[in-house]
Amino acid sequence: LKYPVGFDGNGQGYNHEKTHNADGVAMVAHVESGELDIAEGDSLMFMTRIIPDFTMQGSLDLTLKTRKYPNATQTATVFTGITSSTEKVDIRVRGRQASIRIESNTTDCNWRYGALRLDIKPDGRQ
């Protein structure tokens, strides 16, 4: 077969990898990193910029999740409308640990993620 075939719970068959949509509606896709830190978690980080590295059609949402302590609740900061022409996203986020999530949920969206580029500097010990 030219395309992989998958079936839904009702037995309906679908060609996969043929379009960027799910039977005419947006195909939700995401990738999320593990948590990162600096100085083995002894210092807080101050993040000032994200430089997107995507090959894409459509737009993405980027969520930066941080926490001040390992057992603290994560705080999410969402940046929407990242496109292929977005050169940088200026941010002001602090945390001891951080993870990043890239997500698309619009029709005809196609993307490939490159390298993670964050401007990070130590922001003291607490």
Side-chain angles (χ1 to χ4, degrees), residues 33 36 47-55 62 64 86-91 100 102 112-120:
S33 75
L36 58 99
M47 293 159 274
T48 58
R49 180 179 17 219
I50 299 169
I51 301 172
D53 182 11
F54 301 104
T55 302
L62 193 146
L64 189 58
T86 303
E87 293 180 353
K88 65 183 176 75
V89 179
D90 291 317
I91 61 175
I100 190 166
I102 295 102
R112 180 174 296 174
Y113 181 46
L116 173 61
R117 292 186 174 109
L118 289 168
D119 281 347
I120 300 173

Side-chain angles (χ1 to χ4, degrees), residues 23-40:
D23 200 23
V25 297
M27 186 179 316
V28 178
H30 78 273
V31 63
E32 187 166 346
S33 75
E35 292 186 317
L36 58 99
D37 57 35
I38 60 174
E40 297 183 18

Side-chain angles (χ1 to χ4, degrees), residues 21-81:
N21 300 319
D23 200 23
V25 297
M27 186 179 316
V28 178
H30 78 273
V31 63
E32 187 166 346
S33 75
E35 292 186 317
L36 58 99
D37 57 35
I38 60 174
E40 297 183 18
D42 289 336
S43 294
L44 292 174
M45 298 178 279
F46 180 52
M47 293 159 274
T48 58
R49 180 179 17 219
I50 299 169
I51 301 172
D53 182 11
F54 301 104
T55 302
M56 64 185 297
Q57 297 171 318
S59 68
L60 301 172
D61 295 339
L62 193 146
T63 304
L64 189 58
K65 299 177 182 179
T66 59
R67 65 175 91 223
K68 192 170 181 180
Y69 299 103
N71 292 330
T73 303
Q74 284 184 321
T75 300
T77 307
V78 180
F79 305 93
T80 60

